[in-house]
Amino acid sequence: MVVKIYVACHKPSYVPEHPLLVPIQVGAALSEKRFEGMVYDDTGLNISMLNKSYCELTAQYWAWKNDDADYFGFFHYRRYLSFRIKDHMRPYILAYRPDEELLSRHCYDKTHMLDLISKYDLIAPIAEEMDVSMRDYYGKSAYHHIEDLELVGNILKEFYPDFSASYDKYINGTIMYPCNIYIMKRELFNDYCAWLFTILNEYDCRRSQAGYIGEEARVNGYLAERLFGVYYTWLKDNTKVKSLELQRIDFMLDRTKYLKRRIKYFIVPPNSRRTTFARLIREKLRNR
């Protein structure tokens, strides 16, 4: 069984040597440098030039069009999934960097990983409870514009009406499957990519992004993050696909920032009542 888990890197990044991890330079067509030891997303059929708006999706498109495997997975240089299963897992944990010791603690043994992956059609990160609907969360998030989400919703309902109920359920719900990271069986991955990139391509055709700069320009990546949740919701409600949700590992990659974040999470643990209260306070201060 061939499993390839691509680790998207938009800058030189440490990716530990591992038989299932494939570092890929995203936006390679926009860079003057080739990062050593990586696959490049500007070869073959690609959308590398669109990386500023599509973000890590240029790696997913490249793999869809140019590679073959029994399972395709996608991580970021600072976000992996943990393969350690235990009771009462939080959606994510913090770590300093993806070194061998950490991977060992999170069960990155090849045999264990292959055995676990082979039992499922899709592996996703554990959903985060956001305490507000996905629609409201998108509209209130920095650099996001609610009209983009509304347009994508209209396109989805026009092109894929069978997904309308799942779109409404997910977008009006309060749980989020974040970060565009997952592992999928080949057939499912091909179907997902055809669905996703059809919607995003139509979005590009209908809405000008000429005025978007900086973080705003990452709009296709933001939208895909929500669309993954819609697709996953549809799968769970309408098919017999076997799925598993695993804990996410967020790497800080800077020891000082890592220690500060650990202190912050000790005071306000993620996905807790204190987190909800902190969000409400921030919202009130922002609207004053």
Side-chain angles (χ1 to χ4, degrees):
M1 187 176 76
V2 178
V3 175
K4 294 184 179 181
I5 302 174
Y6 289 90
V7 181
C9 304
H10 71 276
K11 60 183 180 181
S13 306
Y14 171 72
V15 178
E17 288 191 18
H18 189 281
L20 304 188
L21 298 182
V22 183
I24 180 170
Q25 181 179 349
V26 295
L30 303 173
S31 176
E32 296 179 355
K33 296 181 179 179
R34 285 290 214 239
F35 307 156
E36 280 189 37
M38 296 195 182
V39 173
Y40 308 105
D41 74 347
D42 63 345
T43 61
L45 292 172
N46 70 86
I47 55 170
S48 182
M49 288 294 294
L50 301 179
N51 178 258
K52 287 186 178 180
S53 59
Y54 277 73
C55 310
E56 61 276 352
L57 300 183
T58 61
Q60 297 181 23
Y61 187 93
W62 184 90
W64 177 40
K65 292 296 186 180
N66 298 285
D67 208 355
D68 189 28
D70 297 299
Y71 284 83
F72 288 90
F74 297 92
F75 294 171
H76 303 178
Y77 71 100
R78 60 188 184 91
R79 293 187 183 99
Y80 289 18
L81 289 177
S82 170
F83 292 89
R84 181 179 63 186
I85 298 177
K86 57 181 181 179
D87 295 332
H88 310 300
M89 294 188 295
R90 288 181 175 175
Y92 64 94
I93 60 170
L94 285 180
Y96 170 43
R97 67 194 298 264
D99 55 30
E100 292 183 6
E101 180 184 351
L102 181 134
L103 294 189
S104 177
R105 289 204 310 272
H106 289 275
C107 303
Y108 268 69
D109 173 76
K110 178 183 176 182
T111 301
H112 167 76
M113 290 172 68
L114 291 175
D115 180 62
L116 184 65
I117 291 168
S118 68
K119 294 176 181 177
Y120 299 94
D121 302 298
L122 184 153
I123 296 176
I126 295 173
E128 289 188 48
E129 174 58 60
M130 307 309 292
D131 301 303
V132 296
S133 72
M134 287 297 93
R135 175 177 277 105
D136 288 346
Y137 187 72
Y138 193 95
K140 293 176 181 178
S141 294
Y143 312 112
H144 293 51
H145 301 278
I146 192 61
E147 55 267 30
D148 295 319
L149 183 65
E150 291 172 347
L151 175 56
V152 156
N154 291 335
I155 292 169
L156 178 144
K157 292 178 180 183
E158 178 184 338
F159 280 50
Y160 301 99
D162 289 349
F163 283 79
S164 295
S166 297
Y167 177 85
D168 291 337
K169 179 179 179 179
Y170 184 72
I171 294 301
N172 292 319
T174 61
I175 63 167
M176 181 178 183
Y177 294 98
C179 303
N180 288 320
I181 61 177
Y182 59 82
I183 300 170
M184 286 189 195
K185 206 169 188 175
R186 177 178 56 218
E187 296 80 9
L188 189 60
F189 172 67
N190 289 335
D191 288 344
Y192 172 64
C193 284
W195 178 87
L196 174 68
F197 288 108
T198 295
I199 295 170
L200 293 180
N201 181 67
E202 185 63 20
Y203 164 82
D204 290 340
C205 292
R206 295 189 188 185
R207 181 167 176 79
S208 171
Q209 302 162 27
Y212 287 179
I213 58 173
E215 295 296 316
E216 279 184 314
R218 299 165 58 88
V219 58
N220 293 78
Y222 298 147
L223 292 170
E225 203 171 6
R226 277 65 182 184
L227 286 172
F228 174 82
V230 173
Y231 190 80
Y232 185 28
T233 299
W234 182 84
L235 287 175
K236 289 190 291 183
D237 289 348
N238 296 279
T239 74
K240 295 182 179 180
V241 162
K242 294 180 180 179
S243 63
L244 173 69
E245 295 179 15
L246 294 177
Q247 196 170 44
R248 196 176 81 236
I249 312 172
D250 286 1
F251 301 110
M252 297 305 295
L253 305 177
D254 178 287
R255 189 168 292 280
T256 300
K257 290 181 180 179
Y258 167 66
L259 293 174
K260 287 181 178 178
R261 187 66 64 87
R262 285 291 298 270
I263 294 171
K264 174 186 174 182
Y265 282 179
F266 178 78
I267 299 170
V268 184
N271 301 101
S272 66
R273 291 182 179 179
R274 276 182 275 178
T275 305
T276 302
F277 181 72
R279 283 197 188 113
L280 291 173
I281 295 297
R282 283 200 304 269
E283 190 66 28
K284 288 181 179 179
L285 292 175
R286 189 181 298 139
N287 294 329
R288 287 181 64 179

